[in-house]
Amino acid sequence: MRLPLGYPELLATLLTLLGLIPESLTSWEEWWTYDGISGPGFWGLINPQWGLCSKGRRQSPVDIQPDKLLYDPRLRPLHVDKHKISGSLFNTGQSLVLRVDQDSKHHVNISGGPLDYRYQLVEGYIHYGTHDGHGSEHRVNGYSFPAEIQLYGFNAELYHNMSEAQHKSQGIVAISLMLQIGDRPNPELRVITSSFGQVGFRGQSAPIRHLSVRALLPDTDHYMTYEGSTTHPGCWETTVWILLNKPIYITKQELYALRKLMQGSPETPKAPLGNNARPLQSLNHRTVRTNIDFFREKDKNCPTMYKDHYYQATWGEENRLQGRNFADTSR
């Protein structure tokens, strides 16, 4: 978005005088949205602390293009602790956010994969659309899934908390789980979806107890990874993204309950909470690496990306198991 010189400052001053945006920085977290004058195109224009949202060169989300993936044999398996977590599910008015209880005796640590340090899980965001054709922030070869769960953690070896880590090098990790519609949902996802009825409006929350993040993950060791940013303000470019190469499943009934959530209060519901995806960002010559070896010989007892290796998911009403082949991008 190209705006005249001085326009962002003039717009911010005008909107503040009109009482449309807050004067204190403590209110910024409540003000931004996914559309209109407070939407993604304006995040970095009005709040100076969010300048990366408009000027950054390593922004997220991105479209994962199979023909441009780089196989990296140095990438290790990803490790997520088996400890169960507790916390709260919040309707913030912009997203549905899972905030992990940090006072717990046992934290869920994330390590391995492309990571050089140990990261501590802090929160998760649910992005989804109001219909099946879109919802996820990241895309695979242009395809948008109905929803995406993003799990964020901070570098616990170098920094004290997320607030400090988000400004620092290698400060944040984000694990992306794509959600596809299926008749056999992920059992652990039910711990979250069963609370949707308690968070129908902005400011409402529900307790989450005994959630196994490891069990929530799909059954795959394959992933893609790149250097990016948080997809919400202030778009901090300190995020290592790990996108798992298989979706988890959610039922139509659970997705329907998710789409009933609203942005506003019971008195002023406003619009549905869905369609809370930031637009795709340019890769700007960044490399997306993967631990999937596209060219390994088929007769070896190793994962391959030949014609029999797919991004496996259930598609359509007939619940047929089909696949999207990363190695063949002609379709």
Side-chain angles (χ1 to χ4, degrees):
M1 179 178 295
R2 184 179 296 275
L3 297 174
L5 185 64
Y7 178 84
E9 294 80 5
L10 177 62
L11 178 62
T13 301
L14 177 61
L15 293 178
T16 300
L17 291 175
L18 293 175
L20 297 179
I21 64 175
E23 295 185 25
S24 66
L25 292 178
T26 57
S27 301
W28 282 110
E29 290 300 325
E30 300 177 0
W31 176 79
W32 62 274
T33 66
Y34 283 94
D35 56 13
I37 61 171
S38 54
F42 292 90
W43 292 349
L45 300 178
I46 297 175
N47 184 352
Q49 293 191 5
W50 297 348
L52 285 172
C53 295
S54 59
K55 298 178 181 179
R57 301 286 295 172
R58 295 185 298 161
Q59 290 292 295
S60 299
V62 300
D63 182 25
I64 302 298
Q65 300 178 29
D67 60 337
K68 296 182 180 178
L69 291 173
L70 175 66
Y71 170 63
D72 186 346
R74 298 169 299 177
L75 291 174
R76 300 165 294 166
L78 182 68
H79 177 77
V80 177
D81 283 351
K82 63 181 181 180
H83 307 303
K84 293 190 175 183
I85 62 169
S86 295
S88 298
L89 192 65
F90 285 87
N91 180 335
T92 67
Q94 301 106 347
S95 298
L96 201 57
V97 180
L98 171 64
R99 295 172 181 165
V100 179
D101 184 2
Q102 296 301 297
D103 295 329
S104 173
K105 182 178 180 180
H106 298 290
H107 299 294
V108 170
N109 295 309
I110 304 166
S111 58
L115 306 174
D116 294 324
Y117 299 95
R118 172 177 51 83
Y119 291 72
Q120 181 177 314
L121 182 67
V122 172
E123 58 190 3
Y125 288 74
I126 303 179
H127 299 273
Y128 62 98
T130 53
H131 61 81
D132 297 347
H134 70 100
S136 65
E137 291 199 305
H138 288 88
R139 298 191 180 193
V140 178
N141 207 24
Y143 177 82
S144 176
F145 287 80
E148 176 181 354
I149 295 178
Q150 298 170 353
L151 304 173
Y152 283 90
F154 74 92
N155 188 328
E157 292 190 52
L158 299 183
Y159 312 117
H160 296 92
N161 50 49
M162 180 67 82
S163 297
E164 178 187 4
Q166 65 190 8
H167 300 284
K168 305 292 186 177
S169 175
Q170 301 187 71
I172 303 174
V173 67
I175 300 176
S176 170
L177 310 178
M178 298 299 183
L179 269 66
Q180 185 59 278
I181 300 173
D183 294 333
R184 296 181 180 179
N186 181 300
E188 207 65 26
L189 184 61
R190 180 64 182 169
V191 178
I192 299 175
T193 62
S194 62
S195 299
F196 286 168
Q198 303 177 54
V199 292
F201 300 96
R202 180 179 188 143
Q204 294 182 340
S205 64
I208 298 295
R209 297 287 182 263
H210 310 300
L211 172 67
S212 171
V213 175
R214 179 187 285 185
L216 184 65
L217 305 182
D219 181 21
T220 181
D221 292 326
H222 296 141
Y223 59 85
M224 291 74 67
T225 182
Y226 75 99
E227 302 293 325
S229 73
T230 59
T231 61
H232 51 271
C235 308
W236 313 113
E237 293 184 338
T238 54
T239 308
V240 178
W241 277 95
I242 302 173
L243 292 86
L244 300 183
N245 191 41
K246 193 176 183 180
I248 61 175
Y249 293 93
I250 185 171
T251 65
K252 290 182 178 180
Q253 292 76 15
E254 291 171 327
L255 201 52
Y256 175 77
L258 182 60
R259 289 169 175 164
K260 290 178 64 178
L261 309 186
M262 305 301 291
Q263 294 180 17
S265 65
E267 296 75 24
T268 312
K270 297 184 180 179
L273 188 65
N275 298 335
N276 58 345
R278 187 188 187 196
L280 290 174
Q281 305 295 303
S282 173
L283 266 176
N284 292 321
H285 306 292
R286 283 175 289 172
T287 298
V288 181
R289 298 180 294 153
T290 181
N291 65 345
I292 305 170
D293 188 351
F294 284 69
F295 305 107
R296 190 175 296 275
E297 297 178 13
K298 291 185 70 174
D299 58 355
K300 292 185 178 180
N301 186 24
C302 298
T304 72
M305 278 300 294
Y306 283 87
K307 298 293 184 181
D308 60 347
H309 200 112
Y310 296 86
Y311 187 113
Q312 294 188 340
T314 300
W315 312 85
E317 296 181 358
E318 297 179 0
N319 204 29
R320 294 183 294 115
L321 185 64
Q322 300 180 358
R324 203 163 272 251
N325 190 340
F326 276 8
D328 182 2
T329 59
S330 62
R331 292 175 294 179

